[in-house]
Amino acid sequence: MRGKTIAKIVIGLAVVGIGYAAFKDDIAKLWQDLHVRIVERPAPKKTVWLDQGIAKDKLSWFYHADQGTRTFGFPYKWLMALEQPTISWVPFTDVGLFSDPAYLDRYGFIADTVIPGKETLPIGFAIGKPMLDPTGAIWRNPRTKQEMEGVGLTCAACHTGSFTFKDTAVVIDGGPALTNLFAMKQGMGISLALTRYWPGRFGRFADRVLGPDSSVDDREALKTQLDQVLAQYKQVKNLEERVASHSIVEGYGRLDALNRIGNQVFSIDLKKPENYAGSSAPVHFPRIWNTPWFDWVQYNGSIMQPMVRNAGESLGVSAELNLTDPSKGLYKSSVDVKSLDAMEMMIKGNKPPNAADGFSGLRSPKWPADILPAIDQKLADKGAKLYETHCQECHRPPITSAAFYDFNNKDWWTRNQNGEAILKVENIPISHIGTDPAQAADMMARTVSVPENLGIKNPGFAFALGELVEKTVNTIYDQTRPPMSEADRKRIDGYMPNELRGELAYKVRPLNGVWATPPYLHNGSVPTIDDLLGDPEQRPKKFYLGSREYDEVKVGYKNIPMTNAFEFDTSIRGNSNRGHEFRKDFSKDKAIKGVIGPALSADDRKALIEYLKTL
């Protein structure tokens, strides 16, 4: 056995040596293409969940509820069979599974240990129903001919946060994730290519998918399926390269979500490459507690109806959608509206906001004084007065106060079609707030080309997307047996109309739980609250994302230059850290775009931060 191993090593080194000498430049390019850069983090000693009003068994369901997404373009069994996108220079060597939770953690996905002892995929991965293959037929195992289940991401993947403090990991349900989705898809593409072409890998993959006793014909059929998936990945890679000059790197904790949804439906699903746009305006994953009770959602306040928001998200992470073959039913989709409704209701809760109970459903997290240093209440009391002076006009009184629930204030509250209280979130013009305009401006400027038979009237991206998602959802409603009643449709739509808008503005929301949502501003361009409240000229122009280590003083992630961490460069369009500024000479500077208040002393910043910890 030892002799065979040595022989394999010698053969491998010889192949590498000959190849390098002959094709040095090609190998350098190949290494660049076959290399995914992701961080390595020390594993915490323990992980804790805060009480946010949702039972652990319900959270466990939510983490893996199928929305109909097929994010990776291949079946669940393939995910469990793929190896990591790492090259072993010793041929025929297993390098570890892609699905290993410790490996997926490097992309930012949180291991699901909410119910100890229950083996499962990381938070946000869902096993789905049988999926379609690249030809549009039901995907079948070449050997058993059985239908193969899909696998995709759910909203929990992007909206579950985590930070570590002294070897303890704290999970924040509904908080912003620190995932790197683009890097994960890149890693999967590399893994698929290596599976097809690197010595030994296909054999191990086929053993896991088909079984070790599968025939040559079975394995050749599996290779054909693999080639089809690789062709799809290559198609997307080509599209990405075509718009690369208009894209910026999203990195950890950010995604140009709306543009990527548009790319999926208007370019990939519609088979129109000209509709593919660059990822020009990544945003920090937003927190989602209380969101079902807002009148407008998305950072630029562009979407009103909950079902359009949620179904659009499912389509964006590759739920199946037919837009090109009328014989199979236009707008036929794998989106699971019942699952989306159940998830929305878990977050929403069963009672409208009220002074006695606050918001029901998923609650914002409370500062864990048993893990983090205790709050200095005397200092926080001083900060409460500063909050009232500097923050309350836009962000409203704290949601724990009776003043917040002034339902007679028509500037603060409205009612949905069911008569429930809905919070009016103000859209602040960018000309006032001064933050990076790319997300709002690019959505407002984007147009799409859509064939007439789809019945979409407005080529403006926001409005076309709203029409497309509504038609998809209505098709699903119509195809239920019996067809869904009008009353049920209104309820699942959240008793809100499908209204869209595109404005050069960003919405402002209450700050409960803000301490658990770094980094800050809509594009994640400011690492800590202290940086946000301090001298805007001293905000870090470059910092690193990838570490989950929490800074309890400045309140945010610590700026740790880890290997393969994402360097956030605020000089790039879409990454600007300007706006929402407190300036020394406010009386003179307040006319400047983005200046919203006078400079805060170090002591005042400390007090205000201490108060924000209480929200």
Side-chain angles (χ1 to χ4, degrees):
M1 180 64 70
R2 184 181 176 191
K4 289 182 179 179
T5 301
I6 293 172
K8 288 179 181 179
I9 294 172
V10 170
I11 292 170
L13 291 175
V15 169
V16 171
I18 294 168
Y20 186 78
F23 305 106
K24 179 179 177 182
D25 292 339
D26 291 339
I27 287 176
K29 176 66 165 61
L30 179 66
W31 175 249
Q32 179 70 22
D33 287 344
L34 297 182
H35 192 60
V36 58
R37 294 170 178 79
I38 50 175
V39 299
E40 292 190 47
R41 305 185 186 89
K45 291 181 178 178
K46 66 175 181 178
T47 301
V48 299
W49 270 256
L50 305 182
D51 181 7
Q52 293 183 241
I54 306 296
K56 288 188 175 182
D57 61 337
K58 193 70 172 178
L59 285 173
S60 180
W61 165 82
F62 173 70
Y63 292 157
H64 308 289
D66 176 33
Q67 300 174 199
T69 60
R70 311 288 184 257
T71 310
F72 314 125
F74 52 75
Y76 164 69
K77 196 162 186 175
W78 281 32
L79 174 64
M80 305 309 289
L82 279 176
E83 293 175 17
Q84 295 169 18
T86 302
I87 295 175
S88 170
W89 297 109
V90 180
F92 312 104
T93 301
D94 192 329
V95 296
L97 293 176
F98 201 106
S99 57
D100 180 353
Y103 178 70
L104 287 173
D105 179 75
R106 295 178 62 192
Y107 292 103
F109 292 96
I110 303 165
D112 178 8
T113 58
V114 67
I115 298 179
K118 182 179 179 182
E119 291 190 16
T120 186
L121 288 166
I123 291 172
F125 284 70
I127 303 170
K129 297 180 178 68
M131 69 179 289
L132 303 180
D133 69 17
T135 71
I138 290 291
W139 201 310
R140 296 186 184 277
N141 184 300
R143 176 172 173 262
T144 66
K145 311 308 179 189
Q146 291 181 337
E147 297 176 344
M148 300 194 76
E149 298 169 319
V151 61
L153 297 179
T154 78
C155 64
C158 298
H159 302 291
T160 307
S162 178
F163 65 82
T164 57
F165 186 77
K166 294 183 178 179
D167 295 325
T168 296
V170 180
V171 175
I172 305 297
D173 287 300
L178 198 62
T179 54
N180 192 332
L181 297 182
F182 186 73
M184 187 180 70
K185 288 295 289 284
Q186 179 190 25
M188 284 181 167
I190 294 170
S191 181
L192 289 164
L194 292 173
T195 298
R196 183 66 176 86
Y197 298 111
W198 196 255
R201 287 182 76 139
F202 178 78
R204 295 191 298 273
F205 177 75
D207 285 349
R208 295 177 182 123
V209 174
L210 304 174
D213 56 345
S214 56
S215 69
V216 172
D217 287 344
D218 294 336
R219 292 181 177 235
E220 287 302 312
L222 182 61
K223 282 183 181 178
T224 298
Q225 290 179 335
L226 190 52
D227 287 339
Q228 290 171 336
V229 173
L230 281 168
Q232 290 186 324
Y233 271 69
K234 183 65 164 61
Q235 174 196 12
V236 175
K237 186 173 185 291
N238 290 342
L239 291 171
E240 287 287 336
E241 290 176 349
R242 189 171 66 83
V243 299
S245 61
H246 302 289
S247 297
I248 62 174
V249 180
E250 292 153 322
Y252 284 92
R254 300 197 310 162
L255 194 72
D256 191 349
L258 290 174
N259 264 337
R260 289 201 176 277
I261 291 171
N263 287 345
Q264 179 64 43
V265 298
F266 291 118
S267 181
I268 297 171
D269 292 333
L270 194 53
K271 298 179 173 59
K272 290 182 79 69
E274 65 270 26
N275 281 337
Y276 205 89
S279 299
S280 58
V283 297
H284 174 227
F285 295 120
R287 55 197 185 272
I288 60 173
W289 48 78
N290 312 146
T291 298
W293 300 107
F294 296 169
D295 63 343
W296 291 95
V297 295
Q298 302 295 349
Y299 279 113
N300 62 341
S302 56
I303 299 176
M304 177 174 280
Q305 188 188 101
M307 182 51 72
V308 165
R309 164 182 24 105
N310 294 329
E313 176 260 321
S314 294
L315 292 172
V317 283
S318 304
E320 293 162 354
L321 176 64
N322 175 39
L323 297 177
T324 58
D325 188 348
S327 69
K328 294 181 179 179
L330 293 179
Y331 293 108
K332 184 178 180 180
S333 174
S334 64
V335 170
D336 190 328
V337 297
K338 291 185 178 179
S339 181
L340 290 174
D341 175 53
M343 297 167 84
E344 181 77 4
M345 291 307 297
M346 189 205 82
I347 298 166
K348 183 177 183 179
N350 54 14
K351 289 190 293 186
N354 63 84
D357 306 305
F359 286 90
S360 61
L362 178 66
R363 298 198 303 261
S364 52
K366 296 297 183 185
W367 181 270
D370 57 332
I371 300 169
L372 299 172
I375 293 171
D376 182 335
Q377 193 56 53
K378 185 176 180 180
L379 189 61
D381 290 342
K382 176 185 175 184
K385 297 175 182 176
L386 292 165
Y387 177 91
E388 186 175 354
T389 300
H390 298 291
C391 311
Q392 186 164 301
E393 181 180 356
C394 291
H395 291 286
R396 310 286 191 252
I399 68 166
T400 52
S401 68
F404 180 84
Y405 301 95
D406 179 6
F407 298 115
N408 293 319
N409 187 329
K410 303 305 180 185
D411 291 330
W412 290 10
W413 295 95
T414 185
R415 300 276 173 178
N416 65 15
Q417 295 164 341
N418 199 39
E420 298 167 325
I422 297 294
L423 185 68
K424 294 175 72 172
V425 289
E426 184 179 1
N427 245 22
I428 306 292
I430 295 173
S431 59
H432 173 67
I433 198 62
T435 47
D436 191 291
Q439 195 269 333
D442 290 4
M443 182 174 179
M444 189 174 177
R446 185 177 180 181
T447 59
V448 291
S449 172
V450 184
E452 289 185 8
N453 68 326
L454 290 183
I456 292 175
K457 306 177 188 66
N458 194 328
F461 169 58
F463 304 100
L465 182 61
E467 285 188 72
L468 182 144
V469 177
E470 182 178 26
K471 289 177 182 293
T472 301
V473 169
N474 284 338
T475 298
I476 296 169
Y477 290 164
D478 292 341
Q479 289 174 344
T480 58
R481 292 291 177 266
M484 193 175 294
S485 69
E486 192 63 29
D488 282 343
R489 295 181 192 218
K490 284 186 176 181
R491 181 189 62 77
I492 292 180
D493 287 343
Y495 297 110
M496 299 287 276
N498 179 25
E499 292 189 14
L500 288 299
R501 66 185 182 186
E503 297 180 347
L504 291 176
Y506 294 123
K507 79 178 194 314
V508 62
R509 61 175 291 168
L511 293 180
N512 52 307
V514 67
W515 60 269
T517 64
Y520 297 96
L521 293 184
H522 76 277
N523 59 356
S525 60
V526 182
T528 71
I529 293 180
D530 185 61
D531 293 317
L532 185 64
L533 298 178
D535 182 352
E537 300 299 334
Q538 297 303 312
R539 291 176 182 173
K541 293 178 172 56
K542 291 184 179 181
F543 60 95
Y544 294 94
L545 285 174
S547 168
R548 292 194 184 113
E549 195 63 29
Y550 192 73
D551 187 331
E552 78 280 15
V553 176
K554 290 188 171 184
V555 182
Y557 291 121
K558 289 186 176 178
N559 183 17
I560 300 175
M562 307 164 65
T563 301
N564 292 333
F566 170 58
E567 184 183 64
F568 195 118
D569 184 350
T570 64
S571 69
I572 299 171
R573 181 185 184 274
N575 286 359
S576 172
N577 64 359
R578 302 314 298 260
H580 197 282
E581 298 177 6
F582 297 88
R583 293 274 182 176
K584 189 189 314 184
D585 191 353
F586 179 55
S587 59
K588 182 176 72 175
D589 292 340
K590 63 183 178 182
I592 300 174
K593 181 172 69 173
V595 177
I596 62 170
L600 300 170
S601 68
D603 287 344
D604 282 353
R605 288 202 311 276
K606 189 175 180 180
L608 183 51
I609 288 171
E610 203 70 7
Y611 176 68
L612 292 175
K613 295 175 184 178
T614 71
L615 298 182

